[in-house]
Amino acid sequence: MVEDPLEREFRNDWGRVLASLVGFLGDIELAEDAAQEAFATAAERWPRDGTPANPTGWLITTARNRAIDRIRRERTLVAKTEQLERDLRDRSEDTMDETAIFPDERLELIFTCCHPALALDAQVGLTLRTLGGLSTEEIARAFLVPFETMSKRLTRAKHKIRDAGIPFAVPPDHVLPDRLDAVLAVIYLIFNEGWGGGRIDLSAEAIRLGRSVIELMPDEAEAHALLALMLMGHARSTARFRDGELVLLDDQDRSLWAQDQIEEGRQLLTRALALRGREAGGSYLLQAAIADLHLRVPRDWEEIALLYQRLERVTSSPVVTMNRAIAIAELRGPEAALAMLDRLELELGDYRYYHSTRADLLRRLGRDAAARAAYARALELTQPGAEQRFLESRLAELGG
C-alpha cells in the first residue's frame, strides 16, 4: 500500500512546521490553526498539482501567510503583522516552496512544552499534540480521559505559555541538564503509558519523539540511552501478548522479537556509553544496560543485580530496589528477596507490581495463603485488561 504523501508529511514534519510558526508568532493556538489550514490547502492542491520539491518549506510559508491573513482580519498584533510582511515581501507562495530554508525550531518547542511551570499531564499532552501531531481525541483516548477534559487541559497549558511569557528557547547551559531530564521523563512516561496498556502506537510515538531529541541533541548520552531502552522494550511488543493474554518474558516466542530494533538499541547503548565516558552512568543508561542483559541467554543475574544497585544510588527509588530484589531471588533465593520487599511496604503499598512481585515470591516459597492475599491486593490495584486476567489466572492456580 502506497503511503499518502500528505499523511507522511504530516507525521514526519508536523512538529517542525508548528515549531517554526510558534517561533514567529509566539502563540501555540494561532500556530496550530495556521498549520492546520496549510495542511488542508495541501490536501486540496498536492493531488492536483503534485507534491512540491520542498514540502516543509511550502507548508511553513503557506501557514505563515494564513496567519498573516488572520491577524489582519482581526486587526490585532499590528506590529507582528508588519514584521512578518516585511520578512515575506517580494516572495510569493509559489517561489518559496522551492527555495525557502527555515531553521529547525523543534528543540525550542520541546523545552517550551516541558517547561516546569506546567503540570506534568499538560507537558505530556502538549508534547504529543505539538511534536507528535496527535489529535486531541487521540491523546484523550490514550490517557483514558474524556475529550472535553483533555481539550481544556491543552487549552489551559497553551494560555499559560502565552500569558506567563514562557520563553520559546533552549534553556541556558546552567539549567539545561535539569530541563533535559524533564523532557526525557515526559517521553518515557508516554512510552510506559503505551507499554503498560498494550498501546503499541503510543509507545511508537514516544520512540519517534526520542529520535527527534537525538537528532536535535546528538551529543547527549541519556537521550541515546532512553531511545535504546525504548527500542529494546518495543522490540518485544508482538510477543508480549498471545490471543489477547499477557506472556511473560521467559515464555515469549523470541522469533517474534524485532531483532533489528534490538540491534539498533544496542548500538545506541554503545554510543551512550561512549558519550558518557568515565562519568557515572545516568538512570536511562543503566536501565538500557539492564534491558539488554534481560534479552540475553543465559541471563547474567549478578550483573543485573549490580546495575540495579547502581541505579538505586542514582534514583533512590523503592521501585528500583524492588527490581533488584527480583534479581536477588535468582541469586540467593526468594526468602532473601522477600525480606527486601517487606521493608518497602510503606513506600510501595499502593503499587500493584509490588504486590504481584511479592505474591510470586510467596508462591515459590509454598506460602499459598499469603500468596493468594498478595495476588488479590494486586488485582484490586490493576485496571481491567490482559494484566488483570493474568493475575486472575495466577490466583486461580492457588485455589483463590
Side-chain angles (χ1 to χ4, degrees):
M1 181 177 178
V2 178
E3 185 180 13
D4 176 62
L6 181 59
E7 183 65 27
R8 183 175 63 248
E9 194 64 39
F10 182 87
R11 269 291 178 224
N12 292 342
D13 283 342
W14 169 261
R16 184 174 177 188
V17 171
L18 189 63
S20 176
L21 294 169
V22 175
F24 254 89
L25 299 169
D27 187 318
I28 293 179
E29 283 189 305
L30 179 58
E32 280 188 332
D33 290 344
Q36 287 166 354
E37 287 189 40
F39 276 100
T41 302
E44 177 187 345
R45 295 189 187 181
W46 289 8
R48 182 189 66 217
D49 303 334
T51 303
N54 181 359
T56 306
W58 189 99
L59 287 164
I60 291 173
T61 301
T62 302
R64 287 183 179 181
N65 287 337
R66 298 298 178 268
I68 290 171
D69 290 342
R70 176 173 172 177
I71 292 169
R72 184 185 294 115
R73 284 195 306 269
E74 295 178 356
R75 297 181 176 276
T76 59
L77 302 179
V78 175
K80 177 61 72 176
T81 302
E82 292 174 352
Q83 174 190 334
L84 293 175
E85 286 180 332
R86 284 195 300 271
D87 183 69
L88 295 173
R89 188 172 296 142
D90 299 326
R91 291 191 177 190
S92 71
E93 191 176 289
D94 292 335
T95 58
M96 285 289 284
D97 68 335
E98 299 290 342
T99 63
I101 299 176
F102 296 95
D104 190 338
E105 296 175 297
R106 284 176 297 167
L107 193 58
E108 287 87 345
L109 187 56
I110 289 174
F111 282 107
T112 301
C113 292
C114 297
H115 194 279
L118 300 175
L120 180 59
D121 56 3
Q123 294 179 30
V124 171
L126 269 185
T127 300
L128 285 170
R129 179 74 190 100
T130 58
L131 272 299
L134 272 67
S135 68
T136 304
E137 291 90 343
E138 289 174 309
I139 301 169
R141 283 199 303 270
F143 289 94
L144 304 176
V145 298
F147 168 81
E148 293 78 10
T149 300
M150 182 56 68
S151 180
K152 290 176 182 177
R153 188 177 296 171
L154 293 175
T155 298
R156 283 196 301 268
K158 294 169 192 173
H159 289 178
K160 185 165 188 176
I161 288 172
R162 182 193 63 201
D163 298 340
I166 291 175
F168 182 76
V170 176
D173 290 346
H174 68 284
V175 298
L176 183 57
D178 289 340
R179 291 286 303 281
L180 178 60
D181 285 347
V183 169
L184 298 180
V186 164
I187 293 173
Y188 195 35
L189 178 60
I190 294 168
F191 178 82
N192 282 327
E193 194 72 25
W195 176 256
R199 284 287 309 277
I200 295 176
D201 56 338
L202 200 57
S203 296
E205 186 58 41
I207 288 172
R208 204 167 68 85
L209 292 169
R211 291 190 190 281
S212 294
V213 174
I214 284 181
E215 179 187 346
L216 298 166
M217 305 182 75
D219 297 324
E220 291 293 338
E222 282 289 86
H224 284 79
L226 174 58
L227 182 56
L229 173 62
M230 293 190 296
L231 282 168
M232 285 189 277
H234 195 255
R236 298 190 291 109
S237 296
T238 305
R240 286 185 70 223
F241 297 92
R242 185 184 301 130
D243 298 325
E245 301 303 320
L246 186 66
V247 181
L248 298 182
L249 175 62
D250 289 339
D251 299 323
Q252 289 174 12
D253 181 353
R254 288 174 172 252
S255 69
L256 298 176
W257 291 2
Q259 294 298 330
D260 57 334
Q261 292 184 30
I262 293 173
E263 182 57 33
E264 183 185 1
R266 287 171 173 162
Q267 291 173 3
L268 286 162
L269 176 57
T270 299
R271 175 61 177 155
L273 288 166
L275 288 169
R276 177 66 64 173
R278 295 185 179 181
E279 298 177 26
S283 64
Y284 296 116
L285 194 154
L286 290 168
Q287 289 179 77
I290 292 167
D292 179 26
L293 290 172
H294 273 299
L295 299 181
R296 298 183 185 273
V297 179
R299 230 171 292 177
D300 188 340
W301 288 109
E302 287 279 2
E303 185 66 17
I304 290 171
L306 177 62
L307 289 174
Y308 271 127
Q309 191 172 43
R310 291 179 182 172
L311 188 58
E312 278 182 286
R313 291 198 291 267
V314 171
T315 65
S316 301
S317 168
V319 174
V320 175
T321 305
M322 183 194 78
N323 282 294
R324 183 164 71 89
I326 296 171
I328 294 299
E330 299 299 322
L331 295 170
R332 301 208 301 267
E335 194 73 61
L338 193 60
M340 290 178 62
L341 281 189
D342 286 343
R343 293 194 291 270
L344 302 174
E345 186 172 5
L346 284 176
E347 296 172 283
L348 297 179
D350 293 325
Y351 185 54
R352 67 184 188 272
Y353 294 125
Y354 167 77
H355 294 284
S356 61
T357 301
R358 190 167 176 275
D360 286 342
L361 295 173
L362 289 165
R363 181 173 57 85
R364 289 170 61 179
L365 288 167
R367 295 164 58 180
D368 290 358
R372 283 196 297 271
Y375 278 129
R377 178 59 178 147
L379 267 171
E380 292 175 3
L381 298 169
T382 303
Q383 294 290 330
E387 188 177 323
Q388 189 181 77
R389 292 193 298 273
F390 175 82
L391 291 172
E392 288 171 343
S393 68
R394 285 295 173 94
L395 192 57
E397 289 172 6
L398 293 172

